[in-house]
Amino acid sequence: TVEYIQGFNQAFLMFNTQKAPFNDKRVRQAFFYAIDVDKLISNALNGHAAKVTSFLPKDHKNYHEASTVYTYDKEKAASLIKEAGAEGTSLELMVNNNWVKNLAAQIKNDLDAIGLNVTINETKIDWAKLAPSDSELPYDVMLTPGDPTCFGNDPDLLMSWWYGDNVWTKGRSCWQKAGDGKCTEFNQYLDEARRATDAGARQEAYNKCFDIIAEEVPLYPLFHKKVLTGYWADKIEGFEPSPTTGLYFQDAKLK
């Protein structure tokens, strides 16, 4: 038996927000309008993924549709690039040499179509080179996967992983150094959610977080990927495929 379960697992773009023109959110937003995600999901994942309308997938209990939802719009993408004065920008797309490498060719074509000049650098990411530093980090834009739901599905955990006061925002995306205060604002709302004793107030604070990261996109998913599990259904009972990394055998037993 083969089953696909919708999960949080994602391919995401991460920008060096200390480096022009990627320090301009209009340029970052243009990437998400420029990429034909429907075609990406169809061609590279055989349809086994869901388009992004927020940081969380729609089946998550804390889902909130973000104030900014990206749809394929070449004209809008090109307009944002022009507004930012970034027409003709040459950039390197650093691509992790795992399953996301199959996405890179189309992403390059889509970005080239709005007037950018993209070179693909398929490599094993050396995360040590992206540690917090006083120097500009050695990359432009990165395409890589991630899925922290193997540690839990709480919105606080999932957002803190990539946007909290840690190596991701101090280095890597460098969002803490962006200078516009949006990273600080985000973490204030996240702290507000932690301190809330009322579920409604907590969700309201989470929603503000979802809206900020959807608008600022220092790091943001292209889609939420389904997770594939294969197993012998005639040999085991009580087994449930998981939407995240790993196999879980609670309540399972051999027939």
Side-chain angles (χ1 to χ4, degrees):
T1 298
V2 173
E3 290 190 44
Y4 285 88
I5 308 295
Q6 183 60 59
F8 178 74
N9 192 358
Q10 56 190 252
F12 62 82
L13 293 176
M14 180 173 72
F15 299 85
N16 185 346
T17 61
Q18 285 291 285
K19 187 173 184 178
F22 315 109
N23 57 346
D24 189 325
K25 73 177 181 183
R26 292 173 296 182
V27 173
R28 303 194 296 266
Q29 290 173 344
F31 275 62
F32 290 92
Y33 285 117
I35 298 169
D36 187 343
V37 174
D38 282 327
K39 187 166 73 172
L40 204 62
I41 291 172
S42 176
N43 290 352
L45 292 105
N46 201 26
H48 297 300
K51 293 177 67 175
V52 165
T53 56
S54 184
F55 176 68
L56 297 177
K58 287 186 176 180
D59 61 355
H60 195 289
K61 67 177 183 178
N62 296 104
Y63 170 81
H64 157 79
E65 183 174 305
S67 56
T68 305
V69 176
Y70 296 95
T71 56
Y72 179 50
D73 190 333
K74 282 178 61 178
E75 289 72 25
K76 186 166 187 174
S79 176
L80 287 167
I81 292 293
K82 185 176 182 179
E83 285 177 23
E87 293 172 291
T89 295
S90 294
L91 66 105
E92 181 182 275
L93 180 66
M94 182 183 290
V95 180
N96 215 335
N97 64 344
N98 48 37
W99 64 268
V100 297
K101 66 185 180 183
N102 297 323
L103 310 174
Q106 185 202 310
I107 290 175
K108 168 184 163 54
N109 290 341
D110 288 347
L111 295 174
D112 286 349
I114 63 164
L116 300 176
N117 181 18
V118 178
T119 300
I120 296 172
N121 174 19
E122 184 184 314
T123 184
K124 181 178 180 180
I125 303 298
D126 185 352
W127 294 104
K129 291 183 178 179
L130 303 180
S133 171
D134 292 334
S135 303
E136 186 178 273
L137 296 184
Y139 84 102
D140 297 329
V141 185
M142 181 188 298
L143 172 66
T144 191
D147 185 11
T149 56
C150 57
F151 303 114
N153 210 28
D154 184 84
D156 187 322
L157 183 155
L158 300 178
M159 287 191 284
S160 295
W161 184 268
W162 282 311
Y163 308 105
D165 183 19
N166 58 34
V167 68
W168 285 94
T169 56
K170 292 177 179 177
R172 300 186 182 178
S173 74
C174 297
W175 194 33
Q176 277 198 32
K177 300 179 182 180
D180 57 7
K182 288 296 182 178
C183 183
T184 299
E185 183 182 353
F186 166 86
N187 278 285
Q188 287 172 344
Y189 285 130
L190 191 57
D191 188 56
E192 184 179 313
R194 292 171 183 146
R195 291 182 284 105
T197 56
D198 175 76
R202 183 179 303 111
Q203 183 66 48
E204 185 176 344
Y206 282 152
N207 294 350
K208 292 175 182 176
C209 291
F210 298 141
D211 290 345
I212 288 173
I213 55 180
E215 180 179 355
E216 298 297 319
V217 286
L219 178 161
Y220 206 62
L222 289 166
F223 50 74
H224 293 113
K225 186 172 178 284
K226 293 182 180 180
V227 178
L228 168 65
T229 303
Y231 60 101
W232 292 105
D234 60 341
K235 298 179 184 291
I236 189 171
E237 61 183 357
F239 173 77
E240 295 290 337
S242 170
T244 190
T245 306
L247 297 171
Y248 301 87
F249 294 96
Q250 185 177 3
D251 300 323
K253 61 182 180 181
L254 293 174
K255 289 185 177 179

